[in-house]
Amino acid sequence: PNKSMTTRTLAHNTVLIDESDQRSTDRGGDVEFFESSPHVKVMRASSNAYEQAKTYRRTSAIIDHGEGRNYVIDFFDVEGGKTRDYVFHGPNNKFTADTSPAADLHLYDFKNIRELTTAKIEWALDDKTTFTAWSLPQPGEQSFIADGWGQRDPYNADFGATLPYIVRRAGSDGPAQFVSIFESQPAAQPF
């Protein structure tokens, strides 16, 4: 019953251009490279997801230090459009971040928007595990945390659930590159 929520671009940890969904036809896509070694796995892909985008390309790498010590580095390059929003959502509502009240801002259908003033957010997955996201902001980037659609149960037991959505916004002045690092680690042993 909530297919419209799951099929929209906003739900998929990616970049939105001009606050709109990706086009659903004629967007193509290329895997530009895929490399794998015992400690690094990396790939780059691009597409014509937005007509107004000159560049829409993502490079992600998994860095494995062994013994469960690994993280993901995500580079998202985009050019075109008036606004470019790198959006990802947290796994739950148990997170810590430095925030302050945002100005009168209305993004998408979010509510309870707070301006993000830190580049690190930590979620407690359980009493033993933490998930951390680092954002490496580019000049002029704005970041916000908002409550967004977060239903996960296929039988609608959590109908109306929300998750924190992190919105990193870059304006239209030339190309933008969103760089992020994601890591899950034992709570008592941050890496």
Side-chain angles (χ1 to χ4, degrees):
N2 285 311
K3 182 179 178 183
S4 64
M5 299 301 274
T6 61
T7 58
R8 54 191 190 141
T9 304
L10 184 62
H12 291 284
N13 299 345
T14 190
V15 171
L16 281 82
I17 295 180
D18 297 335
E19 299 185 22
S20 63
D21 285 329
Q22 295 179 1
R23 58 184 172 180
S24 59
T25 60
D26 301 322
R27 63 183 182 187
D30 292 304
V31 173
E32 296 178 9
F33 68 81
F34 182 93
E35 297 290 333
S36 180
S37 74
H39 299 289
V40 178
K41 294 166 181 55
V42 62
M43 66 100 46
R44 175 180 291 156
S46 62
S47 75
N48 296 313
Y50 290 93
E51 185 175 342
Q52 66 271 44
K54 295 177 186 175
T55 303
Y56 196 81
R57 179 177 56 233
R58 183 177 224 161
T59 306
S60 293
I62 300 172
I63 313 298
D64 184 355
H65 288 265
E67 299 179 11
R69 302 281 190 183
N70 52 61
Y71 51 89
V72 173
I73 301 176
D74 187 44
F75 300 89
F76 210 120
D77 297 292
V78 62
E79 184 174 7
K82 294 179 182 174
T83 60
R84 289 78 61 87
D85 293 326
Y86 178 92
V87 180
F88 66 94
H89 54 76
N92 59 42
N93 287 298
K94 301 174 189 172
F95 68 95
T96 58
D98 293 330
T99 59
S100 61
D104 184 23
L105 179 69
H106 303 284
L107 295 174
Y108 314 107
D109 57 352
F110 291 136
K111 55 186 176 180
N112 302 326
I113 294 175
R114 290 159 288 169
E115 189 170 356
L116 184 62
T117 58
T118 185
K120 179 181 176 184
I121 303 172
E122 288 187 333
W123 282 269
L125 299 181
D126 55 36
D127 61 345
K128 296 179 181 177
T129 310
T130 302
F131 173 74
T132 305
W134 283 271
S135 298
L136 302 159
Q138 58 205 301
E141 180 178 309
Q142 295 177 291
S143 297
F144 306 92
I145 298 176
D147 292 332
W149 180 81
Q151 184 176 340
R152 301 274 178 97
D153 185 86
Y155 303 105
N156 295 324
D158 62 346
F159 186 81
T162 62
L163 288 173
Y165 279 52
I166 289 66
V167 181
R168 299 175 55 197
R169 174 167 279 186
S172 59
D173 297 333
Q177 183 178 62
F178 297 97
V179 180
S180 303
I181 301 171
F182 301 101
E183 175 193 14
S184 179
Q185 70 273 343
Q189 301 172 2
F191 185 51

